[in-house]
Amino acid sequence: QLQLVESGGGLVHSGGSLRLSCAASGFTFSNYAIGWFRQAPGKGREGVSCISRTGDITNYAESVKGRFTISRDNAKNTVYLQMNTLKSEDTAVYYCAADRHPSSTCELRNMDYWGKGTLVTVSS
């Protein structure tokens, strides 16, 4: 059964750090780009970061550049999102998603599989 399971969310003070994990099973993980997305209360879902199949290409939303780092371990079927210097505006449910397209840039509408999300709350 195909699954993406996010973990690592929680409550943190402004300026703090969290590391999110996205564990995959049921498909050939290394054939998929993985993206992190987030949805804040009352807002639409937005892209945060994307990593290519081999991990050699990454991209970030402007709002998180320099603070967040995406990485993957294909041997463990896991993608990570290291989040530093967190701000209150980073509060959201964070989702990971997989896209099988070879040159994926993790466009929200193109993602094939989604996890159920993990909540990150940053208190000011």
PDB file of all heavy atoms in Angstrom, residues 89-104:
ATOM      1  N   GLU A  89       4.574  33.133  11.008  1.00  0.00           N
ATOM      2  CA  GLU A  89       3.924  32.921   9.714  1.00  0.00           C
ATOM      3  C   GLU A  89       4.247  31.565   9.087  1.00  0.00           C
ATOM      4  O   GLU A  89       3.703  31.215   8.035  1.00  0.00           O
ATOM      5  CB  GLU A  89       4.270  34.040   8.731  1.00  0.00           C
ATOM      6  CG  GLU A  89       5.748  34.333   8.590  1.00  0.00           C
ATOM      7  CD  GLU A  89       6.189  35.499   9.448  1.00  0.00           C
ATOM      8  OE1 GLU A  89       5.790  35.559  10.643  1.00  0.00           O
ATOM      9  OE2 GLU A  89       6.954  36.347   8.937  1.00  0.00           O
ATOM     10  N   ASP A  90       5.132  30.802   9.712  1.00  0.00           N
ATOM     11  CA  ASP A  90       5.390  29.434   9.257  1.00  0.00           C
ATOM     12  C   ASP A  90       4.376  28.443   9.832  1.00  0.00           C
ATOM     13  O   ASP A  90       4.385  27.268   9.457  1.00  0.00           O
ATOM     14  CB  ASP A  90       6.795  28.982   9.659  1.00  0.00           C
ATOM     15  CG  ASP A  90       7.889  29.775   8.971  1.00  0.00           C
ATOM     16  OD1 ASP A  90       7.766  30.034   7.759  1.00  0.00           O
ATOM     17  OD2 ASP A  90       8.864  30.146   9.666  1.00  0.00           O
ATOM     18  N   THR A  91       3.532  28.903  10.725  1.00  0.00           N
ATOM     19  CA  THR A  91       2.508  28.039  11.298  1.00  0.00           C
ATOM     20  C   THR A  91       1.579  27.517  10.208  1.00  0.00           C
ATOM     21  O   THR A  91       1.001  28.288   9.444  1.00  0.00           O
ATOM     22  CB  THR A  91       1.688  28.801  12.347  1.00  0.00           C
ATOM     23  OG1 THR A  91       2.540  29.131  13.454  1.00  0.00           O
ATOM     24  CG2 THR A  91       0.517  27.973  12.844  1.00  0.00           C
ATOM     25  N   ALA A  92       1.469  26.202  10.115  1.00  0.00           N
ATOM     26  CA  ALA A  92       0.673  25.568   9.061  1.00  0.00           C
ATOM     27  C   ALA A  92       0.695  24.057   9.248  1.00  0.00           C
ATOM     28  O   ALA A  92       1.491  23.534  10.038  1.00  0.00           O
ATOM     29  CB  ALA A  92       1.236  25.913   7.685  1.00  0.00           C
ATOM     30  N   VAL A  93      -0.164  23.399   8.504  1.00  0.00           N
ATOM     31  CA  VAL A  93      -0.031  21.958   8.338  1.00  0.00           C
ATOM     32  C   VAL A  93       0.916  21.737   7.163  1.00  0.00           C
ATOM     33  O   VAL A  93       0.723  22.320   6.091  1.00  0.00           O
ATOM     34  CB  VAL A  93      -1.389  21.283   8.079  1.00  0.00           C
ATOM     35  CG1 VAL A  93      -1.188  19.786   7.825  1.00  0.00           C
ATOM     36  CG2 VAL A  93      -2.336  21.513   9.246  1.00  0.00           C
ATOM     37  N   TYR A  94       1.928  20.915   7.374  1.00  0.00           N
ATOM     38  CA  TYR A  94       2.928  20.645   6.350  1.00  0.00           C
ATOM     39  C   TYR A  94       2.684  19.270   5.754  1.00  0.00           C
ATOM     40  O   TYR A  94       2.515  18.279   6.483  1.00  0.00           O
ATOM     41  CB  TYR A  94       4.325  20.729   6.948  1.00  0.00           C
ATOM     42  CG  TYR A  94       4.785  22.147   7.160  1.00  0.00           C
ATOM     43  CD1 TYR A  94       4.231  22.929   8.168  1.00  0.00           C
ATOM     44  CD2 TYR A  94       5.757  22.722   6.350  1.00  0.00           C
ATOM     45  CE1 TYR A  94       4.616  24.244   8.347  1.00  0.00           C
ATOM     46  CE2 TYR A  94       6.159  24.032   6.531  1.00  0.00           C
ATOM     47  CZ  TYR A  94       5.590  24.788   7.523  1.00  0.00           C
ATOM     48  OH  TYR A  94       5.987  26.095   7.703  1.00  0.00           O
ATOM     49  N   TYR A  95       2.670  19.217   4.440  1.00  0.00           N
ATOM     50  CA  TYR A  95       2.425  17.985   3.698  1.00  0.00           C
ATOM     51  C   TYR A  95       3.620  17.661   2.810  1.00  0.00           C
ATOM     52  O   TYR A  95       4.242  18.560   2.247  1.00  0.00           O
ATOM     53  CB  TYR A  95       1.212  18.138   2.781  1.00  0.00           C
ATOM     54  CG  TYR A  95      -0.072  18.498   3.460  1.00  0.00           C
ATOM     55  CD1 TYR A  95      -0.416  19.825   3.693  1.00  0.00           C
ATOM     56  CD2 TYR A  95      -0.966  17.502   3.855  1.00  0.00           C
ATOM     57  CE1 TYR A  95      -1.615  20.159   4.300  1.00  0.00           C
ATOM     58  CE2 TYR A  95      -2.171  17.826   4.465  1.00  0.00           C
ATOM     59  CZ  TYR A  95      -2.476  19.160   4.687  1.00  0.00           C
ATOM     60  OH  TYR A  95      -3.668  19.486   5.293  1.00  0.00           O
ATOM     61  N   CYS A  96       3.905  16.384   2.654  1.00  0.00           N
ATOM     62  CA  CYS A  96       4.825  15.986   1.612  1.00  0.00           C
ATOM     63  C   CYS A  96       4.028  15.292   0.506  1.00  0.00           C
ATOM     64  O   CYS A  96       2.941  14.761   0.749  1.00  0.00           O
ATOM     65  CB  CYS A  96       5.937  15.084   2.135  1.00  0.00           C
ATOM     66  SG  CYS A  96       5.442  13.477   2.774  1.00  0.00           S
ATOM     67  N   ALA A  97       4.578  15.360  -0.694  1.00  0.00           N
ATOM     68  CA  ALA A  97       3.904  14.793  -1.847  1.00  0.00           C
ATOM     69  C   ALA A  97       4.944  14.312  -2.843  1.00  0.00           C
ATOM     70  O   ALA A  97       6.076  14.805  -2.863  1.00  0.00           O
ATOM     71  CB  ALA A  97       2.980  15.824  -2.485  1.00  0.00           C
ATOM     72  N   ALA A  98       4.549  13.363  -3.685  1.00  0.00           N
ATOM     73  CA  ALA A  98       5.460  12.738  -4.632  1.00  0.00           C
ATOM     74  C   ALA A  98       4.984  12.944  -6.061  1.00  0.00           C
ATOM     75  O   ALA A  98       3.773  12.875  -6.341  1.00  0.00           O
ATOM     76  CB  ALA A  98       5.576  11.241  -4.329  1.00  0.00           C
ATOM     77  N   ASP A  99       5.944  13.165  -6.949  1.00  0.00           N
ATOM     78  CA  ASP A  99       5.650  13.383  -8.360  1.00  0.00           C
ATOM     79  C   ASP A  99       6.583  12.506  -9.179  1.00  0.00           C
ATOM     80  O   ASP A  99       7.801  12.603  -9.049  1.00  0.00           O
ATOM     81  CB  ASP A  99       5.850  14.857  -8.716  1.00  0.00           C
ATOM     82  CG  ASP A  99       5.510  15.161 -10.168  1.00  0.00           C
ATOM     83  OD1 ASP A  99       5.076  14.253 -10.906  1.00  0.00           O
ATOM     84  OD2 ASP A  99       5.683  16.329 -10.563  1.00  0.00           O
ATOM     85  N   ARG A 100       6.036  11.682 -10.050  1.00  0.00           N
ATOM     86  CA  ARG A 100       6.836  10.738 -10.824  1.00  0.00           C
ATOM     87  C   ARG A 100       7.458  11.370 -12.063  1.00  0.00           C
ATOM     88  O   ARG A 100       8.288  10.733 -12.725  1.00  0.00           O
ATOM     89  CB  ARG A 100       5.996   9.543 -11.235  1.00  0.00           C
ATOM     90  CG  ARG A 100       4.941   9.852 -12.268  1.00  0.00           C
ATOM     91  CD  ARG A 100       4.320   8.578 -12.825  1.00  0.00           C
ATOM     92  NE  ARG A 100       3.561   7.842 -11.837  1.00  0.00           N
ATOM     93  CZ  ARG A 100       2.266   8.009 -11.620  1.00  0.00           C
ATOM     94  NH1 ARG A 100       1.602   8.903 -12.318  1.00  0.00           N
ATOM     95  NH2 ARG A 100       1.628   7.289 -10.725  1.00  0.00           N
ATOM     96  N   HIS A 101       7.108  12.603 -12.405  1.00  0.00           N
ATOM     97  CA  HIS A 101       7.639  13.196 -13.634  1.00  0.00           C
ATOM     98  C   HIS A 101       9.151  13.379 -13.508  1.00  0.00           C
ATOM     99  O   HIS A 101       9.637  13.887 -12.502  1.00  0.00           O
ATOM    100  CB  HIS A 101       6.977  14.550 -13.896  1.00  0.00           C
ATOM    101  CG  HIS A 101       7.210  15.056 -15.285  1.00  0.00           C
ATOM    102  ND1 HIS A 101       8.391  15.643 -15.673  1.00  0.00           N
ATOM    103  CD2 HIS A 101       6.414  15.045 -16.375  1.00  0.00           C
ATOM    104  CE1 HIS A 101       8.311  15.981 -16.942  1.00  0.00           C
ATOM    105  NE2 HIS A 101       7.118  15.629 -17.392  1.00  0.00           N
ATOM    106  N   PRO A 102       9.906  12.982 -14.550  1.00  0.00           N
ATOM    107  CA  PRO A 102      11.374  13.022 -14.468  1.00  0.00           C
ATOM    108  C   PRO A 102      11.958  14.391 -14.179  1.00  0.00           C
ATOM    109  O   PRO A 102      12.986  14.499 -13.518  1.00  0.00           O
ATOM    110  CB  PRO A 102      11.822  12.524 -15.846  1.00  0.00           C
ATOM    111  CG  PRO A 102      10.678  11.741 -16.367  1.00  0.00           C
ATOM    112  CD  PRO A 102       9.450  12.377 -15.810  1.00  0.00           C
ATOM    113  N   SER A 103      11.335  15.437 -14.667  1.00  0.00           N
ATOM    114  CA  SER A 103      11.877  16.783 -14.432  1.00  0.00           C
ATOM    115  C   SER A 103      10.924  17.619 -13.591  1.00  0.00           C
ATOM    116  O   SER A 103      10.772  18.817 -13.799  1.00  0.00           O
ATOM    117  CB  SER A 103      12.187  17.472 -15.762  1.00  0.00           C
ATOM    118  OG  SER A 103      11.032  17.500 -16.580  1.00  0.00           O
ATOM    119  N   SER A 104      10.330  16.976 -12.643  1.00  0.00           N
ATOM    120  CA  SER A 104       9.344  17.642 -11.793  1.00  0.00           C
ATOM    121  C   SER A 104       9.928  18.841 -11.062  1.00  0.00           C
ATOM    122  O   SER A 104      11.061  18.811 -10.585  1.00  0.00           O
ATOM    123  CB  SER A 104       8.806  16.652 -10.763  1.00  0.00           C
ATOM    124  OG  SER A 104       8.002  17.317  -9.808  1.00  0.00           O
TER     125      SER A 104
END
